[in-house]
């Protein structure tokens, strides 16, 4: 395969920085685009002197003119704490960002990957969630800026594909964790680990019986690359995540067993529209990409705890 010039929007973020590493390792020229709202320079500092890596500070809600072969559109705050901070900008990032990146793909003939989300399923009435499920989403709630923004972005991707023959790849990403998560992103894995490392009580929302499925970042990035490299007829959307389901109480117990200490569990009210269940049906990923996650939660949590232990000193 010829060397590609690949644009990664949100490339200094948690997922984006790991993707930049993977693409550089395989020989791609990588242009990392980030406005540093949630991305961090520490995530990519090790790449700054690499001749195959270039960093551009830019917001995807404004047009961009580059010559590239491939685009991974990852730009958008993805945790409730961050996307609810400026909900109007969150929607703009998903919708205007998609329009601008699709326009760039159309002009250059680039293949474009959209980092969509399991949040398009909302608080699901189908379990586990398959790609054929249309979702159960509140269009006017506090999570809507993200949920509906990502749903609209998927619409734009498929309309550009049908109307302008743009080559698209749409991935619906389920809960992912690993090194380089933002310590204050409000996500459950980083919350539990940071609270345990600081010796604080661990906050459980609701009764702790709601479930999530956690995919380690290395597994997810492998799926990104496989999907991008797949036959052009495979457009997605394709669920990417780990189908092993855990309650919040089980996750808290695993974190405490790794970190140690004397943290207690405290319970608070469940936030509005917080899904009770989240589990991907990855049948399509298995059959179309020959992919399924291999890192077990205990192993991935150990690596993530090491990262946060070093980060928090």
């Amino acid at each position: 395969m010829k060397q590609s010039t690949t644009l990664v929007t949100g490339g200094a973020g948690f997922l984006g920085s790991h993707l930049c590493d993977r693409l550089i390792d395989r020989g791609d020229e990588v242009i990392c685009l980030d406005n540093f709202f949630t991305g961090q320079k520490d995530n990519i500092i090790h790449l700054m002197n690499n001749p195959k890596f270039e960093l551009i500070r830019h917001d995807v809600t404004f047009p961009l003119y580059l010559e590239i072969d491939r685009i991974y559109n990852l730009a958008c705050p993805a945790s409730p704490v961050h996307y609810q901070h400026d909900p109007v900008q969150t929607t703009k990032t998903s919708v205007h960002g998609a329009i601008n990146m699709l326009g760039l793909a159309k002009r250059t003939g680039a293949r474009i990957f959209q980092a969509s989300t399991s949040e398009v399923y909302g608080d699901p009435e189908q379990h586990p969630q398959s790609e054929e499920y249309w979702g159960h989403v509140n269009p006017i709630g506090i999570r809507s800026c993200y949920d509906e923004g990502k749903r609209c972005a998927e619409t734009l991707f498929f309309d550009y594909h049908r109307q302008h023959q743009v080559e698209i790849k749409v991935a619906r990403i389920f809960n992912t964790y690993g090194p380089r998560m933002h310590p204050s992103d409000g996500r459950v894995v980083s919350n539990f680990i940071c609270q345990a490392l600081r010796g604080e009580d661990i906050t459980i929302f609701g009764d702790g019986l709601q479930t999530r499925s956690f995919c380690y970042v290395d597994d997810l990035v492998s799926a990104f690359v496989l999907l991008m490299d797949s036959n052009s007829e495979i457009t997605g959307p394709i669920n990417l995540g780990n189908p092993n389901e855990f309650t919040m109480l089980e996750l808290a117990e695993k974190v405490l067993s790794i970190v140690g200490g004397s943290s207690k569990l405290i319970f608070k009210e469940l936030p509005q529209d917080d899904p009770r269940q989240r589990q991907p049906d990855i049948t399509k990923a298995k059959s179309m990409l020959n992919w399924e996650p291999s890192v077990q939660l205990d192993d991935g949590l150990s690596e993530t705890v090491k990262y946060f232990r070093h980060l928090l000193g």
Side-chain angles (χ1 to χ4, degrees):
M1 188 172 69
K2 81 174 185 68
Q3 178 178 294
S4 293
T5 299
T6 303
L7 173 66
V8 179
T9 75
F14 163 47
L15 297 180
S17 62
H18 283 280
L19 177 61
C20 287
D21 284 345
R22 188 72 62 91
L23 296 173
I24 291 282
D25 285 347
R26 77 175 201 166
D28 285 11
E29 300 269 355
V30 173
I31 301 172
C32 168
L33 193 83
D34 211 294
N35 69 350
F36 294 100
F37 173 59
T38 58
Q40 301 177 91
K41 287 184 180 174
D42 282 350
N43 290 342
I44 52 165
I45 196 75
H46 61 286
L47 294 173
M48 294 301 284
N49 292 324
N50 191 310
K52 290 185 177 292
F53 182 80
E54 181 180 353
L55 171 65
I56 300 176
R57 187 170 194 138
H58 184 86
D59 190 315
V60 292
T61 61
F62 297 96
L64 184 71
Y65 302 96
L66 294 170
E67 299 305 317
I68 36 80
D69 303 301
R70 292 184 164 191
I71 303 167
Y72 285 88
N73 186 36
L74 274 59
C76 190
S79 74
V81 168
H82 289 148
Y83 68 63
Q84 290 168 11
H85 172 74
D86 188 345
V88 172
Q89 186 62 25
T90 295
T91 304
K92 283 183 176 179
T93 301
S94 285
V95 178
H96 292 185
I99 291 168
N100 288 330
M101 290 305 107
L102 286 161
L104 179 61
K106 179 187 170 191
R107 182 182 68 79
T108 59
R111 176 177 286 192
I112 181 167
F113 173 105
Q114 168 66 1
S116 190
T117 171
S118 62
E119 298 303 325
V120 300
Y121 299 123
D123 189 6
E125 295 174 321
Q126 180 191 100
H127 190 76
Q129 294 81 56
S130 71
E131 292 87 351
E132 287 70 35
Y133 178 52
W134 289 354
H136 178 232
V137 176
N138 177 0
I140 58 170
I142 58 172
R143 299 171 69 101
S144 309
C145 57
Y146 185 69
D147 301 3
E148 296 288 33
K150 289 289 192 177
R151 285 164 69 94
C152 184
E154 286 196 13
T155 301
L156 286 161
F157 265 70
F158 279 88
D159 284 337
Y160 266 78
H161 175 64
R162 286 184 288 254
Q163 189 172 338
H164 301 299
Q165 291 72 55
V166 172
E167 281 194 25
I168 64 167
K169 304 286 181 180
V170 177
R172 289 179 178 163
I173 302 165
F174 284 68
N175 291 63
T176 308
Y177 70 100
R180 301 184 197 161
M181 294 184 83
H182 198 292
S184 59
D185 64 9
R187 298 192 211 193
V188 66
V189 171
S190 49
N191 267 6
F192 284 3
I193 291 174
C194 289
Q195 287 174 331
L197 287 171
R198 291 174 177 140
E200 300 168 357
D201 290 334
I202 291 188
T203 307
I204 306 270
F205 291 99
D207 56 14
L209 298 179
Q210 66 271 36
T211 65
R212 295 291 184 274
S213 307
F214 301 101
C215 186
Y216 191 62
V217 62
D218 289 357
D219 281 335
L220 188 78
V221 169
S222 295
F224 283 5
V225 174
L226 285 168
L227 178 55
M228 181 63 105
D229 289 349
S230 65
N231 187 302
S232 60
E233 293 174 6
I234 299 175
T235 58
I238 290 187
N239 288 338
L240 299 179
N242 192 317
N244 294 332
E245 193 178 12
F246 297 90
T247 68
M248 297 303 94
L249 289 174
E250 288 172 327
L251 176 67
E253 287 165 5
K254 285 181 179 294
V255 168
L256 285 172
S257 71
I258 295 168
V259 173
S262 56
S263 299
K264 304 284 192 297
L265 304 184
I266 59 171
F267 293 83
K268 294 189 176 180
E269 190 176 344
L270 197 67
Q272 179 189 340
D273 300 326
D274 197 60
R276 294 288 309 174
Q277 294 178 303
R278 184 72 86 227
Q279 182 190 23
D281 179 336
I282 60 167
T283 304
K284 284 190 176 180
K286 286 180 179 178
S287 63
M288 294 181 176
L289 306 178
N290 194 28
W291 174 86
E292 62 181 310
S294 61
V295 178
Q296 298 303 311
L297 184 59
D298 289 347
D299 298 328
L301 283 176
S302 294
E303 290 302 309
T304 311
V305 167
K306 279 184 203 170
Y307 170 78
F308 278 111
R309 205 184 286 279
H310 176 74
L311 187 72
L312 300 178

